[in-house]
Structures are given as C-alpha cells and as structure tokens.
C-alpha cells in the first residue's frame, strides 16, 4: 500500500526502508555504529536465501538459546535411540529454519 501511494515519492519510500533495515541490523548486533558488519553478520549474509530465518537463527545463536536447548536435550540422550542424539536434535532445529519442505520420517517409530 505504501509503495502504491500517490502522495509518497519513491525517494521517501526508499529512505524509510533503508532506515528500517539498518536499524534492524544494528539492533540485532549485525552492524556496528560505524557501519561495519559485526557478530554473526557473515552467517546471516551467507544464508540470505532463507530470510527471515537467517536473522532468527543468528539471534538464537548469539543469545545462547540454541546452546541452552542442546544442553537441556543432552539430559535425555539415550544411546539406543538415535532420535535423542544431540547431532540429530541440532539437525532438526537447523532444518526447521532452513528447509521449507516437509520430508517423510525416515526413522521407524517403535
């Protein structure tokens, strides 16, 4: 709607969008005050095709939430049940963010 507005010119729209984008990246710790990239900006950039999941994933990693999740999951690891292994749990989280297609379960359920 804003881009189709007859009263707003393109320069104003681009200025607002740029300001919003830079502010978001700064608040997420991906840009420093001088405009250089910082933190997990390289990861977010490499995963640009998965927007906005790339920014959410970077937030989970930088806040330590992904680590906390795996730390809690470690308590329930059963060597006999591969679905409880930490590598499988991490893969589940990453695939939830990065894979948009649902795949059939390959592990047999008991």
């Amino acid at each position: 709607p804003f881009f189709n507005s007859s009263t707003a010119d393109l320069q104003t729209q681009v200025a607002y969008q740029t300001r919003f984008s830079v502010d978001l990246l700064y608040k997420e710790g991906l840009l420093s005050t001088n405009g250089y990239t910082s933190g997990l900006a390289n990861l977010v950039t490499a995963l640009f095709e998965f927007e906005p999941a790339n920014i959410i994933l970077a937030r989970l990693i930088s806040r330590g939430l992904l680590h906390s999740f795996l730390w809690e999951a470690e308590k329930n690891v059963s060597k006999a049940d591969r679905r409880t292994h930490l590598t499988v749990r991490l893969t589940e989280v990453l695939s939830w963010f990065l894979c948009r297609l649902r795949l059939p379960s390959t592990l047999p359920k008991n």
Side-chain angles (χ1 to χ4, degrees):
F2 186 68
F3 288 99
N4 293 331
S5 173
S6 60
T7 58
D9 64 322
L10 184 61
Q11 289 180 337
T12 304
Q13 295 173 23
V14 171
Y16 278 125
Q17 181 66 31
T18 303
R19 183 175 178 160
F20 171 79
S21 299
V22 169
D23 189 47
L24 175 71
L25 295 174
Y26 177 74
K27 287 180 179 178
E28 290 298 322
L30 302 173
L31 279 180
S32 62
T33 55
N34 59 4
Y36 290 108
T37 58
S38 63
L40 296 172
N42 291 336
L43 174 70
V44 171
T45 303
L47 297 175
F48 75 94
E49 294 173 343
F50 302 105
E51 243 175 27
N54 58 347
I55 295 175
I56 296 169
L57 182 62
R59 178 183 274 190
L60 290 175
I61 293 170
S62 66
R63 305 284 195 276
L65 298 174
L66 188 59
H67 182 78
S68 297
F69 169 75
L70 293 174
W71 194 265
E72 287 296 318
E74 186 177 29
K75 297 174 185 175
N76 301 323
V77 171
S78 170
K79 192 169 186 175
D81 187 8
R82 185 164 187 242
R83 288 177 286 186
T84 64
H85 293 189
L86 292 182
T87 53
V88 174
R89 300 296 292 174
L90 177 62
T91 303
E92 287 174 352
V93 172
L94 293 177
S95 65
W96 193 86
F97 282 108
L98 304 177
C99 297
R100 299 184 186 232
L101 299 175
R102 290 206 177 258
L103 301 176
S105 176
T106 58
L107 297 175
K109 297 187 178 188
N110 296 332

